[in-house]
Amino acid sequence: MPDSDSANLGDLPGPLVLIGAGKMGGAMLQGWLRLGLDPRDAVVFEPQPSAEIAALGARGVRLNPQAATVRAAAAMLIAVKPQVAAEVVPRYAAMAGAGTVVVSIMAGKTLRAIAGLLPPGAAIVRTMPNTPAAIGRGITVAVANPHVTAAQRTLAHNLLAATGAVEWVADEALLDAVTAVSGSGPAYVFLLAEALAQAGVAAGLPAELAAKLARETVAGSGELLHQSELDAAVLRQNVTSPGGTTAAALDVLMGPQGLAALMEQAVAAATRRSRELAG
Ligand SMILES: NC(=O)c1ccc[n+]([C@@H]2O[C@H](COP(=O)([O-])OP(=O)(O)OC[C@H]3O[C@@H](n4cnc5c(N)ncnc54)[C@H](OP(=O)(O)O)[C@@H]3O)[C@@H](O)[C@H]2O)c1
């Protein structure tokens, strides 16, 4: 059963405050409402709400109320760009009471940096989501600071599960490698679709057909992987007959300068960059 099916957002000890309802924050809010969040329990701060977010006002979501009218939040999700965090987060910090769990999805902002913008002793969960969250198929990795209680961790988990799978790590340092694998990973998969289409053109296919074949192959294989209980390696072996066409291609892709070596270099480069940007 996907994580999101077991989440229960119908009974919260206080409002759920969303700071920043852009692409990621907006997708999370829609997911929470699908999971049974009472719209009257949602408070959204967003200077330029999209039409979809503005329309939620009619369902009871409070959009940009006076901060002082918001009583202690059960959870506060920070989904603004990391570059504006230092300016924006302190404006809302007073809504984070003793019982509030603050969940940040800001790429690269460490627990320590986020704590510096909030009242002392704040319970904080730092996370790294990825873009398939927009269709409820993301994966988010989370790490909690020592002030987060078991109940707050469960609430944070349920909030994050609204956009896909959730994994927890105890060591914050792993978030750099997580960023390099699942945070940036969708771009690698899109590149695979681009490269496969280009290779199809080089092999003589019309560009439009090559693009369609590559797109549907990447998307369909991703879905097969999602639905199957088999490992990727087993699925690969299942479509590879000895001496056949797939084997001929895999001899190239799995050679010494092949995809595994390239991917290792790529992930190492992204991990290094994530460390450089952390703050
Ligand atoms: N997109 C991804 O793949 C991805 C993956 C992992 C993590 N993240 C993280 O998710 C966060 C959000 O990314 P995003 O792609 O959703 O960005 P986004 O679409 O730009 O969303 C950020 C939103 O915050 C709003 N905002 C700015 N100032 C505010 C304020 N004072 N109070 C309330 N809201 C304010 C922005 O409004 P304006 O447009 O008016 O400035 C915008 O709507 C980032 O920290 C990013 O690092 C994103």
Side-chain angles (χ1 to χ4, degrees):
M1 188 162 62
D3 286 349
S4 54
D5 285 356
S6 55
N8 175 13
L9 298 179
D11 188 20
L12 292 174
L16 215 163
V17 174
L18 173 65
I19 315 283
K23 287 186 285 296
M24 295 295 267
M28 298 200 83
L29 176 63
Q30 302 282 5
W32 299 335
L33 293 169
R34 273 197 303 275
L35 286 180
L37 173 71
D38 183 337
R40 290 165 303 182
D41 281 339
V43 180
V44 176
F45 291 95
E46 168 56 57
Q48 296 185 60
S50 65
E52 286 99 336
I53 298 295
L56 294 175
R59 289 176 58 191
V61 171
R62 280 185 287 161
L63 189 56
N64 298 321
Q66 288 293 323
T69 65
V70 181
R71 68 189 168 87
M76 178 187 289
L77 189 113
I78 304 176
V80 297
K81 296 276 191 210
Q83 307 87 287
V84 302
E87 185 207 330
V88 169
V89 176
R91 284 190 224 157
Y92 303 99
M95 276 178 254
T100 308
V101 59
V102 176
V103 181
S104 164
I105 65 163
M106 295 183 290
K109 281 283 167 206
T110 61
L111 286 169
R112 191 190 158 102
I114 302 160
L117 306 172
L118 293 166
I124 304 168
V125 173
R126 173 187 169 192
T127 73
M128 185 65 212
N130 66 2
T131 46
I135 55 162
R137 287 284 301 278
I139 181 156
T140 300
V141 177
V143 59
N145 79 355
H147 302 296
V148 176
T149 65
Q152 288 175 325
R153 186 180 156 121
T154 300
L155 174 56
H157 187 102
N158 290 344
L159 293 176
L160 297 167
T163 55
V166 183
E167 291 290 328
W168 289 81
V169 292
D171 179 3
E172 186 178 12
L174 294 179
L175 270 262
D176 294 310
V178 164
T179 301
V181 173
S182 57
S184 302
Y188 317 157
V189 177
F190 300 139
L191 177 63
L192 176 66
E194 289 176 66
L196 186 54
Q198 283 162 14
V201 171
L205 293 175
E208 206 174 315
L209 178 61
K212 180 152 193 183
L213 296 183
R215 184 188 186 100
E216 294 306 319
T217 300
V218 170
S221 306
E223 189 58 31
L224 186 59
L225 183 60
H226 178 68
Q227 290 188 20
S228 173
E229 286 177 359
L230 300 174
D231 287 345
V234 176
L235 288 170
R236 169 175 55 74
Q237 284 153 10
N238 287 351
V239 291
T240 313
S241 330
T245 57
T246 310
L250 292 179
D251 282 348
V252 178
L253 287 171
M254 299 175 78
Q257 304 302 316
L259 190 58
L262 258 183
M263 193 60 88
E264 192 174 320
Q265 286 174 41
V267 167
T271 305
R272 276 196 304 277
R273 187 68 184 135
S274 175
R275 276 194 206 114
E276 284 165 13
L277 293 174

